[in-house]
Amino acid sequence: MKVIALAVVIWLCLSIAIDAFVGTLVIAVVFAVLYCVKIKRHDNDAAKLLNAINAGKSPESIEKALKDIFVAHKNVLQRIAQERDFYRERYENFVDLVNSFELPIVLVDREGNIRFYNRAFQTFFNVGKTIGNERIFDILRRNGLKIPIKKGNYRVFSRRQNRRFMVVVEGSENDEFSMIFTDITARWKTERLLEKTMRYAVSAETVADLAHGLKQPLANLQLAFDLYQKTGKEQNLRRLEQELKSLKEKIFGVLQIYHYGEEPQNVDLPKILNRVIRYLEPIAENKGINLRVSSNVPKAVVTVQERRLENVIKNLVINALEAIPEANGNVVLKLKKGREWITLLIGDNGVGMGEEVLKKAAKAFFTTKESGTGLGLTLAKSFCEDNDVTLKIRSKEGKGTTVRLTFKR
C-alpha cells in the first residue's frame, strides 16, 4: 500500500510539473523495474531453498514463506525416515524369525514368481545357492516335485532327494501363496514299518501259511534223515541235501519278506536287467529258451532298494523260465518310460495261469511246481509295497504270463 501511495504522489507531481502522459510512463517504468527486482529476488530465494534442501541445511536470508516450506519438507523427510526404519526393522525381524525355522518356506504369486524364501528352502532345494529369477516350478521340477499353486495339503516324494514332504499351501487376498515343506521321510518309514508289522502280527492266515510252509520241508527233512540213518544209502543222503536246500530257500524267502535294513537308492534299471540276464542266460540256453531284453531305453533311474529289486526280477524271470515246458520259448524283459513313470514288463509264452491260480499266486508258499518255494510273487508284492511300486499280473492259461512293475520317477 505504501508503494502505491508513493507512486500516486510521484505521478501527481510529474503531471503538474511536466505532463500527465510522461508521469504515467515514468510510473510504469518504475513499477516494471520493481517487479523485475522482486522476481529476481524470488528466483534467488528459490535457488537457495533448493540448495538448502539438497544440502540438508537451513537456508539463510530468504523469505519466511520459503523458510516454512523448508521446515515442512524437513519434517516430512524425518517422518519418512522414521517409517522406513520402523518397517525395515520389522522386515529384518521377520526374516530372522523365518530363517530360524528348519522348515523350508517360500512365498510365490499365482504365476510362480518367487517373492521370498527362507534359508532352509535355499538349502533343501537349491543346494544353498542364492535363487535368481527362477520360478517355483523350475526349482520344484529340478528336485523331482510337482505341486500346484492352490490352497491345500499335498504329500509328495522327491526321488532326487529321496525325501518325502508334506506341503501346506495357503493363499492370501493379494494372490500370493505360502508353501511350507515338512520332511516326513522318517515318519513315513515308521508308519510303513508299523503298518506292515501290524499287518503280519494280526494276520492269523499269514501265520498259518508260514507255519504250514515251513512245517512240510521240516517233515521231509526228518523223513530223509531217518531213511538215511536206517539204510545208509547214497540216494537218501542226496534227498537229505535237497530237502536242506529247499528249507534254506524258504527261510531266505521269509527273511526277504520281513527285510527292512536296506535303504532306497538311485538305481539304473537297464544295468540291473543286464546283470539278471548274465546270471540266468546259461539256464535259459540249457532249456532252449530265448531270454532277452527288448528295450531302447538306455537309462532309467528309479529310487528303490537295489538288492531286493534284483532278487525280485531274478525270481520273476526264473518263474517265467520254469513256466515254459518245451524249447523254443521266449522270455522278454521290456522297459517303457514316461514323464512321471517307468514300467518294467516281464513276459513269457509259457503255460500261463487260470483265474483261480492267479488269485492265489501271491500267497506265501503257494506253488504249482514240485520244487518251488511259493515265495517268488510274495517277495515281489512285499517289495512293491515297501518301495511304492505298482505290481500287476496278467495271465491266460495256455498263452503265457506278463508281470508289470511300474515305478514312479
Side-chain angles (χ1 to χ4, degrees):
M1 292 299 294
K2 291 180 180 180
V3 173
I4 294 174
L6 181 61
V8 171
V9 171
I10 294 173
W11 179 77
L12 289 173
C13 293
L14 290 174
S15 298
I16 295 171
I18 305 174
D19 187 75
F21 174 75
V22 174
T24 303
L25 184 62
V26 170
I27 291 300
V29 170
V30 170
F31 269 105
V33 170
L34 291 174
Y35 179 76
C36 290
V37 170
K38 188 172 183 179
I39 290 297
K40 181 66 175 175
R41 190 174 66 189
H42 274 295
D43 288 344
N44 290 337
D45 287 349
K48 288 179 182 180
L49 177 62
L50 291 176
N51 291 334
I53 289 173
N54 292 331
K57 296 180 180 180
S58 178
E60 298 179 358
S61 62
I62 63 171
E63 289 186 6
K64 184 178 181 303
L66 294 178
K67 195 171 273 189
D68 291 342
I69 291 175
F70 173 81
V71 172
H73 176 267
K74 186 176 180 180
N75 291 336
V76 169
L77 288 182
Q78 288 177 346
R79 182 63 179 172
I80 291 173
Q82 290 173 354
E83 293 284 342
R84 180 194 61 207
D85 292 341
F86 173 77
Y87 285 110
R88 177 186 292 169
E89 184 180 1
R90 284 287 186 91
Y91 178 76
E92 289 174 351
N93 290 338
F94 167 75
V95 171
D96 290 340
L97 176 64
V98 176
N99 278 331
S100 68
F101 297 153
E102 295 182 358
L103 300 178
I105 299 174
V106 62
L107 303 181
V108 299
D109 61 19
R110 191 173 291 278
E111 284 71 40
N113 300 307
I114 297 176
R115 301 302 188 193
F116 173 82
Y117 58 90
N118 69 343
R119 193 176 295 114
F121 182 85
Q122 180 178 331
T123 302
F124 267 79
F125 299 107
N126 211 45
V127 202
K129 297 179 181 178
T130 302
I131 298 173
N133 296 324
E134 288 185 285
R135 297 199 306 164
I136 187 65
F137 307 117
D138 301 323
I139 294 175
L140 293 177
R141 190 180 303 113
R142 193 164 61 242
N143 285 273
L145 295 172
K146 187 177 181 181
I147 304 168
I149 301 182
K150 184 179 179 181
K151 186 175 180 179
N153 299 334
Y154 305 93
R155 280 178 175 254
V156 294
F157 176 54
S158 169
R159 293 189 177 274
R160 304 277 171 84
Q161 296 191 28
N162 193 25
R163 294 174 184 266
R164 294 180 182 272
F165 296 95
M166 168 64 78
V167 185
V168 179
V169 181
E170 292 289 346
S172 62
E173 295 180 356
N174 57 354
D175 271 355
E176 286 193 347
F177 295 83
S178 64
M179 290 183 170
I180 303 175
F181 297 75
T182 304
D183 187 348
I184 60 171
T185 307
R187 188 176 74 187
W188 180 84
K189 287 182 179 179
T190 303
E191 287 175 353
R192 292 303 298 272
L193 178 59
L194 180 61
E195 176 187 327
K196 189 169 185 180
T197 303
M198 291 183 66
R199 184 170 68 246
Y200 283 108
V202 300
S203 176
E205 184 181 0
T206 302
V207 173
D209 289 341
L210 290 174
H212 176 74
L214 295 176
K215 179 181 178 181
Q216 188 59 46
L218 282 172
N220 293 340
L221 184 63
Q222 183 66 52
L223 178 61
F225 181 72
D226 290 343
L227 287 172
Y228 179 69
Q229 273 191 325
K230 291 177 181 179
T231 64
K233 291 182 179 180
E234 187 71 21
Q235 65 182 27
N236 290 328
L237 180 61
R238 286 196 298 271
R239 182 178 177 183
L240 180 61
E241 290 175 346
Q242 290 174 355
E243 294 297 340
L244 277 171
K245 182 181 177 182
S246 174
L247 179 61
K248 180 181 177 182
E249 288 176 350
K250 290 192 175 184
I251 291 174
F252 177 76
V254 172
L255 291 175
Q256 283 293 307
I257 295 174
Y258 292 93
H259 179 77
Y260 300 107
E262 186 182 359
E263 287 296 323
Q265 56 184 306
N266 290 336
V267 177
D268 189 13
L269 285 177
K271 290 183 179 179
I272 296 285
L273 298 186
N274 289 334
R275 289 207 298 265
V276 171
I277 293 293
R278 285 197 302 269
Y279 180 78
L280 295 176
E281 205 165 26
I283 299 174
E285 290 178 354
N286 187 50
K287 294 188 66 174
I289 297 173
N290 178 26
L291 173 62
R292 60 191 173 89
V293 176
S294 173
S295 175
N296 58 355
V297 179
K299 190 171 185 179
V301 177
V302 295
T303 305
V304 293
Q305 295 169 302
E306 183 175 6
R307 286 179 296 171
R308 289 186 71 188
L309 173 61
E310 187 168 343
N311 286 333
V312 165
I313 296 175
K314 282 180 182 177
N315 284 327
L316 293 175
V317 174
I318 289 171
N319 284 350
L321 292 172
E322 293 177 344
I324 300 174
E326 300 176 357
N328 300 321
N330 291 289
V331 176
V332 181
L333 286 73
K334 188 172 183 179
L335 283 174
K336 291 183 178 181
K337 192 174 181 180
R339 176 175 291 183
E340 298 180 1
W341 51 265
I342 298 173
T343 295
L344 168 62
L345 299 170
I346 302 174
D348 66 72
N349 60 346
V351 296
M353 293 180 283
E355 289 186 10
E356 291 301 318
V357 174
L358 188 57
K359 289 178 182 178
K360 302 175 183 177
K363 190 175 181 180
F365 300 111
F366 176 80
T367 180
T368 57
K369 297 175 288 187
E370 292 183 2
S371 59
T373 62
L375 291 172
L377 287 176
T378 306
L379 290 174
K381 182 181 177 183
S382 172
F383 165 81
C384 292
E385 289 174 350
D386 292 344
N387 289 269
D388 201 15
V389 179
T390 302
L391 171 66
K392 289 186 178 179
I393 305 171
R394 289 186 178 180
S395 188
K396 191 170 183 181
E397 200 166 3
K399 297 291 185 180
T401 302
T402 300
V403 179
R404 178 189 295 262
L405 299 175
T406 302
F407 306 82
K408 293 181 181 178
R409 297 184 64 185

